[in-house]
Amino acid sequence: MGSDNHFDGRRTDGPQSASAAAVGAAEAVGPASHRVLDLLFERRAAGGTPGTRSDPHRLALVIEGGGSRAAYSTGMIGAIHDLGLTDCFDAVYGSSAGALNGAWLLCGRAPEAMVGWTAPGVMRKVMSTRRAFRGRPVVDLDYLINVLYTDLMPIDFAAVLTNPVTLHPLATAVTDGDSIDLAPHIDDVATLKRALRASSCLPVIAGPPVELGGNRFLDGGVAEPVPIRRALADGATHALVLRTRRVDEPSVPPGAVAGRFTARWFRRYAPGALDAWDERPARALRDERLLVNLDTVLQIRPPLGSPRVSRIATDAALLGSAVAIGHDAALTALSAADATASGAT
């Protein structure tokens, strides 16, 4: 209970034996998180996929959004892939770039996603503030989804669709600001790509809302940046939550000028979602209180002292560092539990 159910990737100095490292990680994540780790490695040992398991639990992987901050969670999904834990989940919930990382994980190409953040010139094609001066979106979602992730560094969208672990991209409805699971709208590659685009449609900087299934949506992070409530509503009994903010890095509202500009954008494109945008800081505080008091949730965060990454960062060195830090944070937490499980067999 309390704040024990998160792991921020910090290591102690000096050499450690495997057993000492395992004990240290267990203490860092706390007894509440131990239940999540136990379930993960029990499932890996038993094998199986959703619909074939013997246990009664529903284990969700929840991935926070955040634009370029998702470099951290890309490293984290890389650790999950490396440890062979992907099939241990029943569902993956992601908002914005968190949904994209969920797709990378479920298609089996998390290592390729990790490399993508530092590929020469890629991020500057995806994000460029110069485009704003020409009246074009800062974030080019068409290039990201339909060129980069289709032809140049392809996500295997068909593999995502056939994976028994289901992907749930979250988006925000423009009519009322509600958080919407787009999974029911996905039935082929085209609708999957459109759902990922809708989930990642950042207000102001990524163009107008995206139409899907007769409705229009924008970035899932407006209504639910950490989609734990949706996972719980769907019956999750346990959840591993990948965070893209440090524990000392709260969500804060934009400044006065940016706030007025953003409000004008919402009144034009998504008037029903303006309240959801304004309520983000208060909602984030409520979600933090919920997360730290759930004894079947484990959060993995970038460690204290990790570099701050803005949602439109493009610096390859910074983003590569974030990927490596996220990978190390998750590998430290999960490998410690792996060593404990292996020692018990």
Side-chain angles (χ1 to χ4, degrees):
M1 301 290 287
S3 60
D4 286 339
N5 69 334
H6 74 270
F7 182 81
D8 69 4
R10 286 173 287 179
R11 295 181 184 272
T12 56
D13 293 331
Q16 289 183 301
S17 66
S19 59
V23 171
E27 289 175 346
V29 299
S33 301
H34 186 60
R35 298 173 64 181
V36 176
L37 299 175
D38 276 353
L39 181 58
L40 269 172
F41 288 97
E42 286 169 4
R43 283 186 167 186
R44 192 184 69 173
T49 56
T52 68
R53 310 192 202 280
S54 59
D55 68 71
H57 306 298
R58 180 174 172 84
L59 174 59
L61 177 64
V62 175
I63 312 177
E64 183 177 16
S68 293
R69 285 201 314 274
Y72 282 116
S73 59
T74 302
M76 294 173 188
I77 65 163
I80 290 170
H81 172 91
D82 292 345
L83 292 169
L85 297 173
T86 304
D87 289 344
C88 300
F89 297 96
D90 296 294
V92 176
Y93 295 80
S95 287
S96 192
L100 291 169
N101 276 339
W104 278 111
L105 177 67
L106 293 182
C107 79
R109 295 180 178 176
E112 288 88 336
M114 293 175 64
V115 173
W117 287 98
T118 56
V122 165
M123 288 305 297
R124 295 191 184 278
K125 289 183 179 179
V126 175
M127 299 186 185
S128 173
T129 55
R130 294 179 180 179
R131 286 197 288 263
F133 297 104
R134 301 194 295 272
R136 295 168 55 196
V138 171
V139 181
D140 190 341
L141 288 177
D142 183 59
Y143 173 80
L144 178 69
I145 303 293
N146 295 318
V147 178
L148 183 63
Y149 287 169
T150 298
D151 299 319
L152 304 180
M153 296 173 49
I155 292 174
D156 188 344
F157 295 105
V160 177
L161 291 170
T162 58
N163 196 317
V165 182
T166 53
L167 178 65
H168 299 260
L170 275 290
T172 302
V174 301
T175 53
D176 54 16
D178 282 353
S179 174
I180 305 296
D181 180 3
L182 299 181
H185 297 288
I186 298 171
D187 50 30
D188 56 19
V189 168
T191 50
L192 171 58
K193 291 166 72 172
R194 196 142 189 92
L196 292 172
R197 181 168 180 166
S199 182
S200 303
C201 187
L202 291 160
V204 180
I205 63 173
V210 176
E211 190 277 332
L212 180 65
N215 297 297
R216 293 186 303 141
F217 302 97
L218 51 86
D219 189 87
V222 173
E224 195 171 4
V226 186
I228 183 63
R229 293 181 187 272
R230 175 60 56 181
L232 295 174
D234 284 352
T237 60
H238 298 71
L240 178 65
V241 183
L242 307 183
R243 305 298 303 272
T244 60
R245 293 183 186 270
R246 302 184 310 264
V247 71
D248 64 342
E249 190 180 3
S251 173
V252 295
V257 174
R260 287 194 295 271
F261 189 81
T262 302
R264 191 180 308 126
W265 184 93
F266 270 92
R267 283 192 290 269
R268 178 180 180 184
Y269 291 106
L274 179 56
D275 287 345
W277 173 261
D278 289 339
E279 293 166 1
R280 287 181 313 135
R283 189 186 309 112
L285 288 175
R286 292 195 298 270
D287 287 347
E288 293 293 349
R289 287 194 292 268
L290 171 68
L291 285 161
V292 299
N293 285 291
L294 289 171
D295 64 1
T296 53
V297 167
L298 166 60
Q299 300 184 79
I300 301 179
R301 293 181 179 268
L304 294 173
S306 298
R308 184 181 294 271
V309 178
S310 81
R311 64 178 180 171
I312 57 170
T314 59
D315 181 79
L318 173 65
L319 297 173
S321 173
V323 170
I325 290 169
H327 185 266
D328 187 63
L331 202 60
T332 299
L334 299 172
S335 293
D338 190 16
T340 302
S342 298
T345 58

